[in-house]
Amino acid sequence: MIANLRQRLEIPSDRLEVLNAVLGDPGMQIINDLLDVVAQYGTPEAINAQAEQASQLSHLLQQVAEQRPEYLAELHWLKEQVAGRSLINMVDYRRTILGDHIPTVAFAEELAVTLEISACQYFPWIIAATKHAIARQELMPSRFIQVRQMKEQEADGDLCAILAAMQIIGASFVATLDTKGTDGSNIHLNGAATITGYFGGIGQPNAYALQWVNEYLYYYTHYGVRQVLNLNPGTVLLGYLLHRLGVDIEFKISVFMGNDNPYSALWTLLGAKLFARDDGSTPLVGFNWSNSVNNDTIIRSAQVRQALNWEQQVRFEHHITETWKSIVRQPYDRREELLELAKHVPNISAKHEGGDPEIEQTRQHPSDILDYFRSQADILATGDWEPVTQNFLDKLDAVNHTARMLTAQGFAVIAAQHLHG
């Protein structure tokens, strides 16, 4: 009986003809609208060439010199730390934790956990974090997420400096475009304080989906920003289509997308497969789960990911800690679950959005997700610069707490490649 029912789920191949007819229809307005936006920037090949030029480290450093010359010395200092191997290498790091037992531990590199931190808002935080890691002989993450106003950081020179720093330390970086729910796109919401209570369908209403594409292409061609946050079903589809057209976009799905069960994962991954390029590639490089998921959901979804041959391309990103305020009930600490998950599921990212709960609750200004949506001018004017910087360093400490825990159990971790080898 079950076998017969399963056969009913199979989709006839002629359905693809209908889909292709929709996509290829010269009169299909929503496809025409997308193509019109892309055409403003040139052919996909020309767009990628512009982005490649814009992302060159020499080009980024030149822009830093023009906008924030005081940052050049700090970037050169960062390069010196890489060249001088000032940070602990992975072999020595493991030895500090395992001591004489290290020869007996067989690290499963194929199950290595990526160390991730969010949100890295400002360039000076990267320098502060590096000094912090040097002093403690700890690790810097290999993945940084940012949720700061793009226009603000473009204007003050932080954007180029952060992009340069990421290349220097060997880490991936995800930016969050300004076209999202806090930009007034949904007239019925009341700013950042309102959207934290929602997990889907609030980010890019009406024509804003195309505005998101336009904004992406601007930052891609001008600065080489390749990976961005994606939080709406429409812009996820547009990301697939943009990649299918030939633009080398990459994106990660946000926790605000609300993927909280294996069937939402199945839908997202099926879409990725349907619109994959002929070489098998997909722009979906990060899949951030809702905070409410359990290990069973991730394990079942990993089976789908493997069956679709996405295991190496699509990283599952899971919040291990969260900001103390404005997002989840506290205390929130998923490390014990991560230890179990890491035994079975490859290509997982341990995302740290907050410090350890026992530290957060002692801070006069604990981490707050609403701080992500504040302007730098406001943070400076209210005297909150030092507290929010401390919040970021607390998150770095949480990253290292997780790294030590994993290493002690024989799990490999992925830290900033150029800093730790």
Side-chain angles (χ1 to χ4, degrees):
M1 177 181 173
I2 291 178
N4 291 335
L5 287 176
R6 183 173 284 112
Q7 287 179 353
R8 296 186 187 186
L9 296 175
E10 295 179 0
I11 302 171
S13 58
D14 60 4
R15 300 286 171 84
L16 282 177
E17 296 177 9
V18 177
L19 174 59
N20 284 329
V22 172
L23 297 174
D25 182 357
M28 188 56 62
Q29 192 60 51
I30 61 172
I31 301 300
N32 292 342
D33 292 341
L34 169 63
L35 299 179
D36 286 343
V37 174
V38 173
Q40 295 175 34
Y41 292 85
T43 65
E45 292 73 21
I47 290 170
N48 291 333
Q50 290 180 64
E52 177 62 27
Q53 172 62 31
S55 68
Q56 292 298 310
L57 182 58
S58 59
H59 180 74
L60 292 170
L61 291 175
Q62 179 60 39
Q63 289 187 292
V64 172
E66 294 171 1
Q67 289 185 283
R68 293 296 291 267
E70 66 271 25
Y71 282 171
L72 273 182
E74 293 182 311
L75 286 165
H76 287 310
W77 174 84
L78 202 56
K79 292 173 74 173
E80 289 170 359
Q81 307 319 302
V82 173
R85 301 181 180 179
S86 301
L87 285 93
I88 193 166
N89 64 58
M90 194 57 68
V91 173
D92 289 341
Y93 176 78
R94 289 172 173 175
R95 186 174 291 112
T96 63
I97 296 169
L98 295 166
D100 294 337
H101 297 291
I102 193 168
T104 67
V105 179
F107 289 92
E109 300 294 345
E110 69 276 8
L111 292 171
V113 176
T114 297
L115 301 176
E116 182 174 330
I117 194 167
S118 179
C120 182
Q121 303 294 75
Y122 306 98
F123 169 72
W125 289 6
I126 299 171
I127 302 301
T130 306
K131 292 178 178 178
H132 190 78
I134 291 173
R136 299 189 178 204
Q137 287 296 279
E138 292 183 331
L139 302 178
M140 284 282 281
S142 62
R143 190 155 175 78
F144 289 73
I145 314 300
Q146 186 195 53
V147 191
R148 186 188 170 196
Q149 295 174 26
M150 295 295 289
K151 283 298 182 186
E152 180 182 85
Q153 62 179 313
E154 179 188 27
D156 67 19
D158 248 37
L159 179 60
C160 287
I162 289 177
L163 291 169
M166 291 297 105
Q167 287 194 41
I168 291 169
I169 70 174
S172 61
F173 174 71
V174 180
T176 303
L177 300 178
D178 290 339
T179 309
K180 54 184 182 290
T182 55
D183 65 354
S185 57
N186 189 330
I187 61 173
H188 302 294
L189 294 183
N190 190 27
T194 307
I195 74 160
T196 58
Y198 293 82
F199 282 87
I202 48 80
Q204 285 98 10
N206 308 314
Y208 276 75
L210 291 173
Q211 181 173 311
W212 182 88
V213 172
N214 186 55
E215 186 182 0
Y216 174 80
L217 291 172
Y218 172 81
Y219 287 106
Y220 181 52
T221 55
H222 283 73
Y223 301 98
V225 173
R226 177 165 295 188
Q227 286 193 32
V228 292
L229 204 66
N230 210 332
L231 51 83
N232 180 273
T235 49
V236 169
L237 176 59
L238 285 168
Y240 291 153
L241 295 178
L242 203 58
H243 186 259
R244 180 74 183 165
L245 288 171
V247 177
D248 291 335
I249 180 176
E250 295 178 351
F251 63 81
K252 67 163 284 184
I253 286 177
S254 167
V255 67
F256 282 104
M257 183 79 175
N259 283 289
D260 58 1
N261 62 72
Y263 303 97
S264 59
L266 175 62
W267 184 242
T268 300
L269 293 170
L270 285 177
K273 179 59 69 172
L274 182 64
F275 292 104
R277 286 185 186 166
D278 294 344
D279 63 4
S281 63
T282 176
L284 176 63
V285 296
F287 189 112
N288 209 150
W289 290 97
S290 165
N291 291 312
S292 56
V293 299
N294 57 26
N295 280 11
D296 186 63
T297 285
I298 298 177
I299 290 170
R300 290 174 186 271
S301 301
Q303 183 185 26
V304 176
R305 183 182 64 168
Q306 183 183 43
L308 294 172
N309 199 28
W310 287 146
E311 200 164 72
Q312 298 305 313
Q313 293 195 56
V314 181
R315 180 189 296 106
F316 281 171
E317 304 186 12
H318 191 29
H319 281 82
I320 305 306
T321 60
E322 265 290 5
T323 59
W324 185 255
K325 297 178 66 177
S326 306
I327 191 72
V328 296
R329 290 181 179 178
Q330 294 287 359
Y332 180 97
D333 181 343
R334 310 292 291 272
R335 288 191 180 94
E336 292 299 331
E337 295 170 62
L338 175 65
L339 287 175
E340 287 302 313
L341 200 60
K343 295 176 183 177
H344 313 289
V345 182
N347 202 7
I348 289 179
S349 181
K351 184 178 182 184
H352 298 79
E353 197 91 39
D356 285 339
E358 59 270 23
I359 300 300
E360 289 278 8
Q361 60 189 318
T362 69
R363 298 297 185 198
Q364 186 173 357
H365 185 107
S367 63
D368 188 339
I369 204 166
L370 298 184
D371 284 339
Y372 295 0
F373 305 98
R374 297 170 63 190
S375 68
Q376 185 178 28
D378 176 57
I379 288 173
L380 291 171
T382 55
D384 286 339
W385 176 259
E386 292 300 328
V388 296
T389 301
Q390 183 61 58
N391 292 155
F392 185 72
L393 295 177
D394 287 344
K395 297 176 187 188
L396 181 64
D397 288 341
V399 168
N400 278 281
H401 181 177
T402 300
R404 288 192 299 273
M405 210 169 166
L406 288 164
T407 304
Q409 295 293 321
F411 294 104
V413 298
I414 302 174
Q417 298 291 289
H418 297 164
L419 291 176
H420 302 290

